[in-house]
Amino acid sequence: MAKVDFTGRVAIVTGAGAGLGRQYALDLAKRGAKVVVNDLGGSRDGVGSSDAAAKKVVDEIKAAGGEAVPNYENVATIQGGENIVKTAIDAYGKVDILINNAGILRDKTFTKMEEDNWDGVMAVHLRGAYCVTKPAFMNMRENGYGRIIMTTSGAGLFGNFGQSNYAAAKMGLIGLTNVLKLEGAKYNVKVNVIVPVAASRLTEDVLPPEFFEKMKPDFISPAVLYMCSEQCQDSGMFINATLGYFSRTAILTGPGVVLSDGTKIPSPEEVAENWDKIKSLENPKYFDQLPEMFGVLGPLLS
Ligand code: NAD
């Protein structure tokens, strides 16, 4: 089995001052990557800033014999994103790997979801991924190599009470990945998604204590490291990881039903009569991109 090795590779990990990001940064550095440890150092809900978190992780990496530089920018600004990428290029000449991991939570039920809770969470998760990924992607495209990880959540993929802002932002990353996997393909830029469940300050009041105790961030890192490696030739995968369990979640489409010859407009009653067939997920299909979906319309278009 070929070793997953990052010698000569340059990685940016956002939000790497704690939790999952810290673990990825330590593990990448252990396997030879030069790492930009980005962290704004604010509170769990995104208030304030501090250099301490990123600095501490850089010190840990160096103490273990690895190479790393800190960066304290906010991922949610254009300037922050550009400076994070500039830090990598100034220190190490390029960006091979970007892990979009920085995150905050501002949970509220939807009727209590005020604008600043909505916008703040959107800004860090979705806008943050845009702000950092764009300059990184441009460097990767020039170099003909790149591995990008987005971090989504089961809250978005499956739903979780009280997390409408977070779930919406996290699903935005799924749409972004679906497009970047296509736009990155000819430049050898692969874009994949991690769906973690692990103990961190974001989950200390979400996970039951007996789960929290066991679900160490170390369990997520192997899937992320593999998807950051040269060996990984897939793009557009959404990979669940927790406690040594790994699986793929995908958007699948049921076989459906045709209620027209392509000219006759079906009635709402016909839709109602056929609802069970329309919503069936038996023998689903996977479409790698939108035009593939038009394939099923073949006879109706002729
Ligand atoms: P964490 O709070 O330990 O780590 C997040 C880090 O991001 C913090 O160190 C924080 O300072 C940093 N950060 C926040 N806003 C930032 C900004 N604007 N710019 C730069 N850095 C910023 O939490 P974690 O659980 O390790 O979360 C990591 C990622 O994983 C997040 O995107 C989170 O939504 C996602 N996630 C976590 C879980 C889980 O079970 N822990 C589940 C699903 C998704």
Side-chain angles (χ1 to χ4, degrees):
M1 201 186 301
K3 189 166 186 257
V4 172
D5 183 72
F6 298 103
T7 306
R9 295 290 178 201
V10 178
I12 294 172
V13 186
T14 71
L20 291 164
R22 172 182 166 272
Q23 194 64 47
Y24 306 152
L26 292 172
D27 290 347
L28 282 165
K30 241 181 245 163
R31 287 172 181 259
K34 297 171 179 130
V35 184
V36 175
V37 175
N38 158 265
D39 206 289
L40 181 63
S43 64
R44 182 185 194 256
D45 58 355
V47 177
S49 63
S50 152
D51 293 358
K55 264 196 188 129
K56 191 159 175 268
V57 175
V58 167
D59 289 346
E60 279 183 83
I61 290 174
K62 287 187 173 164
E67 275 192 69
V69 286
N71 173 285
Y72 316 112
E73 299 279 348
N74 181 352
V75 295
T77 68
I78 296 290
Q79 203 193 355
E82 282 173 356
N83 283 340
I84 292 167
V85 173
K86 189 172 178 301
T87 299
I89 294 172
D90 287 352
Y92 304 126
K94 59 175 180 169
V95 184
D96 297 305
I97 295 161
L98 165 63
I99 304 178
N100 286 299
N101 167 80
I104 61 167
L105 276 184
R106 292 183 186 176
D107 294 357
K108 293 263 188 245
T109 52
F110 191 56
T111 52
K112 295 187 185 120
M113 181 64 68
E114 300 302 339
E115 193 180 356
D116 64 331
N117 295 329
W118 181 268
D119 289 347
V121 164
M122 283 287 165
V124 176
H125 293 278
L126 189 52
R127 185 177 160 78
Y130 162 72
C131 292
V132 187
T133 304
K134 190 168 175 227
F137 190 94
M138 285 162 77
N139 187 263
M140 290 171 176
R141 194 178 60 169
E142 263 171 42
N143 301 333
Y145 183 87
R147 297 287 181 271
I148 298 173
I149 306 293
M150 303 289 179
T151 307
T152 192
S153 167
L157 287 172
F158 314 119
N160 204 28
F161 192 93
Q163 293 195 310
S164 56
N165 52 354
Y166 180 68
K170 286 304 199 188
M171 286 313 272
L173 298 174
I174 296 293
L176 180 60
T177 300
N178 284 341
V179 172
L180 292 190
K181 80 174 179 203
L182 303 175
E183 297 189 5
K186 75 174 176 189
Y187 306 106
N188 192 18
V189 176
K190 317 280 188 202
V191 188
N192 290 295
V193 179
I194 188 74
V195 195
V197 182
S200 77
R201 69 176 181 174
L202 291 189
T203 49
E204 60 198 355
D205 59 358
V206 180
L207 291 173
E210 65 276 21
F211 286 20
F212 192 84
E213 187 64 28
K214 295 187 89 172
M215 292 179 165
K216 306 281 181 226
D218 318 44
F219 281 114
I220 317 301
S221 206
V224 170
L225 261 63
Y226 171 68
M227 292 193 287
C228 288
S229 74
E230 275 170 54
Q231 280 101 317
C232 181
Q233 292 300 310
D234 280 314
S235 202
M237 299 287 133
F238 318 150
I239 300 299
N240 304 292
T242 191
L243 267 175
Y245 163 80
F246 303 100
S247 65
R248 177 183 177 190
T249 290
I251 296 173
L252 301 174
T253 304
V257 62
V258 176
L259 302 177
S260 171
D261 58 4
T263 55
K264 177 191 146 271
I265 311 292
S267 67
E269 290 76 16
E270 283 174 284
V271 170
E273 266 167 38
N274 286 280
W275 191 245
D276 283 345
K277 282 186 197 156
I278 291 171
K279 71 177 188 182
S280 166
L281 283 175
E282 218 170 293
N283 298 321
K285 283 192 167 64
Y286 174 77
F287 300 121
D288 190 50
Q289 54 179 297
L290 177 60
E292 285 181 14
M293 204 210 153
F294 298 146
V296 301
L297 302 176
L300 296 175
L301 290 169
S302 58

